[in-house]
Amino acid sequence: YQNSSDNNLLYWGLDYPPLTAYHSWLCGIIAHHLDPNWVALNASHGYESYHHKLFMRYTVLLVDVIIYFSAAFLFVATCLSEWTESEKLGLLLLLLLQPSMVIIDHGHFQYNCISLGLALFGVIAVVHDWDVIGSIAYSMSLNYKQMELYHALPFFCYLLGKSLQSDRRIVKITKLGVTVIAVFVLCWIPCLTRMDDILQVAHRLFPFSRGLYEDKVANVWCTTSVLMKLRGLLTQQSLTLLTAVSTLVATLPSCLHLLYNPTPYCFVLALVSGYVCRVKYGHHIWSGILMCACTNKINDALLVCSGEYI
C-alpha cells in the first residue's frame, strides 16, 4: 500500500483490502516457484508470455470453482426447494455463465468471484439462521473487496433485528459483534502497527481524488452535470459527504423496515435496494461499476427466489 522504489503504486498498485493482498501474495509465491521471471521485482513490469497468461487464468478459474461455484450450488440446493430440477438448472447456469463475470474476472483478473462467493455464502447462512457463519463469510467478503460495503447496512439491520427479537439478545449481539471484530482484526493485523499505515490503506481503498464519476457512468451525479457542474461548485470533501449522505438516506427506508421486520424476504429487498442506491448516488470509480455489474446478477437471483420466504 506504500509507494516506494520497489513498489510503484502508479503501476497497478494495490487498492483493495488486506484479504486481496494475502491472495495476491499467495499467487506470487506460486508464480515464483513456477517461473521467477513472472514476478521478478521491477523487471516483470509488462512481462507477457503464453504460460504466464495461462497461469493467471487458472488462478481465476480455481477460486471461481472453489468459492463462487460452491456458493451458487449451495444456494440452488438449499434456497429453492420448491423449484423443479429444470428451473434450478436454468438459474444455476445464469449464475455461473453471466457474461460480465466471465469478461471481468477471466479477462481483467479482478477476482470478483471471491468476494461475490463469500457474500453469497453469507446470505445463505443468515437466511438459514447460521448467523455467526454468515457474519464470518460476509466480513471476509468485505475484507476482500470494499465494494461489498453497500450490502453492509442490510446485513447489519437484518442480524440486529433478529437479535433484538431473540430471548438472549445481549448474548447474540455480543457474539456477532465479537465475531465481526475478530475477522477484521485478523485480516488487518499487518496494517495496525501504525496510524499512518491505517490511513494509507484507507486512502488506497477509497481514492476519492479520482473524481465523482466518469463519463461512462450513468448515475444521478452524471445526469445532473448536464444542468449543474457539481465538481466545479463543491470541494472534493463536500462531494464525498454529499454522496455518502445521499446514499445513506436512500438506503435507510428499506433498512429500517428490515430492522423491524427481519424476514428473509425483507432482507433480500434491502440488499437489492442497497445495490441500486449505491449505483445511483454513490461516489463512483470505474472499478466500482465493474463490481456492480457482477453483483447485480446475485441480487437478481435473490429476487427470483425471494418468493420462497413470503
Side-chain angles (χ1 to χ4, degrees):
Y1 296 102
Q2 301 285 353
N3 192 56
S4 69
S5 58
D6 290 330
N7 186 40
N8 182 7
L9 291 181
L10 296 179
Y11 186 85
W12 297 105
L14 185 63
D15 53 6
Y16 292 115
L19 208 55
T20 298
Y22 302 147
H23 178 226
S24 300
W25 175 66
L26 178 61
C27 289
I29 292 176
I30 299 173
H32 184 268
H33 177 73
L34 295 174
D35 188 342
N37 292 323
W38 294 351
V39 289
L41 191 61
N42 295 323
S44 64
H45 287 187
Y47 181 89
E48 290 187 24
S49 72
Y50 171 77
H51 290 100
H52 186 211
K53 293 178 182 178
L54 195 63
F55 168 76
M56 293 180 69
R57 292 191 175 115
Y58 277 141
T59 60
V60 178
L61 184 60
L62 181 64
V63 293
D64 212 357
V65 172
I66 293 176
I67 298 178
Y68 182 69
F69 279 35
S70 299
F73 277 106
L74 183 62
F75 170 72
V76 170
T78 61
C79 297
L80 306 175
S81 57
E82 302 299 321
W83 287 35
T84 65
E85 292 303 317
S86 60
E87 289 173 333
K88 291 180 181 180
L89 178 61
L91 181 58
L92 184 63
L93 291 176
L94 285 175
L95 286 171
L96 301 182
L97 302 178
Q98 209 269 351
S100 65
M101 177 72 121
V102 175
I103 294 172
I104 295 168
D105 270 15
H106 295 266
H108 196 46
F109 308 109
Q110 285 283 315
Y111 298 100
N112 290 315
C113 54
I114 296 179
S115 61
L116 289 177
L118 290 171
L120 187 52
F121 273 127
V123 170
I124 296 168
V126 298
V127 162
H128 287 87
D129 295 325
W130 308 325
D131 294 340
V132 172
I133 296 175
S135 298
I136 293 174
Y138 177 69
S139 296
M140 291 178 65
S141 172
L142 183 54
N143 276 288
Y144 192 87
K145 285 289 180 77
Q146 67 270 37
M147 306 307 170
E148 277 298 326
L149 264 176
Y150 52 79
H151 285 151
L153 197 55
F155 264 93
F156 174 79
C157 290
Y158 184 52
L159 292 173
L160 180 60
K162 288 205 299 181
S163 299
L164 291 175
Q165 293 184 2
S166 171
D167 295 333
R168 305 177 62 195
R169 62 189 64 153
I170 301 299
V171 174
K172 191 166 185 179
I173 291 174
T174 302
K175 184 189 299 184
L176 294 176
V178 170
T179 299
V180 172
I181 292 173
V183 172
F184 271 79
V185 169
L186 287 174
C187 290
W188 283 71
I189 281 179
C191 309
L192 299 179
T193 55
R194 296 187 310 162
M195 180 56 67
D196 288 345
D197 291 338
I198 297 175
L199 294 177
Q200 176 62 16
V201 175
H203 173 71
R204 293 296 300 172
L205 297 186
F206 304 102
F208 296 117
S209 59
R210 294 185 187 180
L212 181 60
Y213 61 85
E214 295 187 3
D215 294 337
K216 60 181 80 67
V217 176
N219 69 343
V220 168
W221 314 119
C222 185
T223 303
T224 56
S225 68
V226 176
L227 302 175
M228 181 171 53
K229 305 293 185 182
L230 291 177
R231 289 189 289 192
L233 298 175
L234 300 176
T235 63
Q236 183 59 60
Q237 290 79 6
S238 298
L239 288 173
T240 302
L241 180 61
L242 174 64
T243 56
V245 172
S246 300
T247 305
L248 180 62
V249 169
T251 308
L252 270 181
S254 62
C255 289
L256 290 177
H257 179 261
L258 175 62
L259 184 63
Y260 289 97
N261 300 276
T263 64
Y265 178 65
C266 293
F267 177 47
V268 168
L269 294 181
L271 288 173
V272 176
S273 174
Y275 158 76
V276 173
C277 293
R278 191 264 185 255
V279 171
K280 297 303 179 184
Y281 299 101
H283 199 293
H284 284 76
I285 57 174
W286 180 235
S287 59
I289 298 304
L290 292 177
M291 186 64 180
C292 288
C294 290
T295 308
N296 187 37
K297 65 174 181 166
I298 296 293
N299 291 327
D300 289 344
L302 290 170
L303 268 184
V304 168
C305 76
S306 61
E308 295 282 314
Y309 304 108
I310 296 178

